[in-house]
Amino acid sequence: MMNMFKLLKTIYCGILILTIILAMGCSIKQNPGKISNTSIVLQGPAWASVWQQKSGEYKALCFQAYNLARTRLDALLQKKYTQPLAIVTDIDETVLDNSPYQVHQALNNEEYSDASWMEWTARIDCDTIPGALSFLRYAKSRGVDIFYITNRLEAEREATLKDLERWGFPDATDSHLTMKTTTSGKEPRRAKVAITHEILLLLGDNLSDFSEIYDKKTIDKRNDLVIDNSTTFGNRFIVLPNAMYGDWDGAIYKYQYDLPAKEKERIIVESLKRY
């Protein structure tokens, strides 16, 4: 009788556990906002966003970059120039923080898309990158014009200006904001600024924010060029940290952004050093 009782108890516990597991499975299917796998491509940006939003180290790196920018600006302003002075800066992850977008996409198991990105920028809800606002205000107070060159689309111009204006960024005007048109390469837009101004510093989180020599290069070539031009960083080029996205990851799978997430992940994993 006792053995029969133990057997029934075991069967009951097994059924209960199975029911819980099935219920959890149904819950995951009914709630696509929950992470249901551990894809580097789909969920990786969320982990990078944790670092960007929560770590003191990220903030320290940003302050370090902008403190260095101020030191360099003060030194450059000791020279004589024949043109008005300018700083050229990227926007996303250089002066405005878009990590909430990356979290939103990751929790919905989705990659970047123009539609979802424009839905985010239309919210006009970006935070600022640590140190960016105070530095650009300081530069403006020293008589330096600020030009924003971004790969946001023309349709995002109004929302972008509103986001910059609400924080009080200097020169947040149409004439100082250049959006992406036919190409993501920024060299023609930088060259246009250089016609009327002496560009003292360039700020960005992506190598292509600084020079066309980095545009769409292979991962090895990008790294070789950084080494070859190492003295420009911290001198004329000020780099902000961004572990969430950028040409650094696109270069790994040869900028084939239309590849399925699983294929991108395979290529990324195969490229990594391991033991």
Side-chain angles (χ1 to χ4, degrees), residues 70-212:
R70 180 166 177 155
T71 299
R72 288 297 303 136
L73 179 61
D74 287 342
L76 291 166
L77 289 175
Q78 301 305 310
K79 302 178 182 179
K80 300 292 185 181
Y81 302 94
T82 59
Q83 290 182 300
L85 306 179
I87 286 174
V88 169
T89 181
D90 173 53
I91 291 180
D92 298 310
E93 276 41 80
T94 301
V95 299
L96 293 181
D97 178 355
N98 298 277
S99 57
Y101 169 77
Q102 301 297 331
V103 173
H104 178 272
Q105 293 301 98
L107 292 180
N108 284 281
N109 296 315
E110 294 178 359
E111 292 187 82
Y112 167 90
S113 70
D114 285 345
S116 62
W117 171 258
M118 292 177 70
E119 181 182 335
W120 156 248
T121 58
R123 294 173 64 91
I124 312 174
D125 198 27
C126 292
D127 201 346
T128 61
I129 297 298
L133 182 57
S134 60
F135 169 71
L136 292 179
R137 282 179 171 175
Y138 173 73
K140 188 63 180 178
S141 76
R142 297 296 306 273
V144 180
D145 292 331
I146 313 302
F147 288 88
Y148 303 90
I149 298 181
T150 177
N151 277 338
R152 291 188 179 195
L153 300 176
E154 187 61 39
E156 299 171 87
R157 175 180 289 275
E158 182 179 356
T160 301
L161 283 173
K162 287 182 178 179
D163 230 348
L164 293 172
E165 289 169 352
R166 75 189 183 94
W167 289 110
F169 278 99
D171 290 329
T173 64
D174 276 322
S175 61
H176 285 249
L177 174 63
T178 307
M179 319 299 285
K180 177 182 175 182
T181 53
T182 57
T183 177
S184 60
K186 294 183 174 181
E187 192 65 25
R189 289 174 276 171
R190 289 190 292 262
K192 187 175 180 180
V193 175
I195 293 173
T196 58
H197 288 70
E198 180 77 29
I199 300 174
L200 300 181
L201 296 171
L202 296 102
L203 315 174
D205 65 299
N206 191 8
L207 291 176
S208 291
D209 292 328
F210 306 108
S211 172
E212 65 181 343

Side-chain angles (χ1 to χ4, degrees), residues 242-263:
N242 179 4
M244 298 184 299
Y245 65 90
D247 285 352
W248 63 267
D249 71 293
I252 299 173
Y253 44 85
K254 299 179 180 179
Y255 305 101
Q256 299 176 85
Y257 292 107
D258 291 336
L259 288 176
K262 285 182 180 286
E263 179 62 10

Side-chain angles (χ1 to χ4, degrees), residues 224-240:
D224 289 343
L225 286 168
V226 167
I227 295 170
D228 292 342
N229 297 279
S230 60
T231 58
T232 60
F233 299 101
N235 187 0
R236 189 164 184 259
F237 301 162
I238 306 297
V239 186
L240 280 298

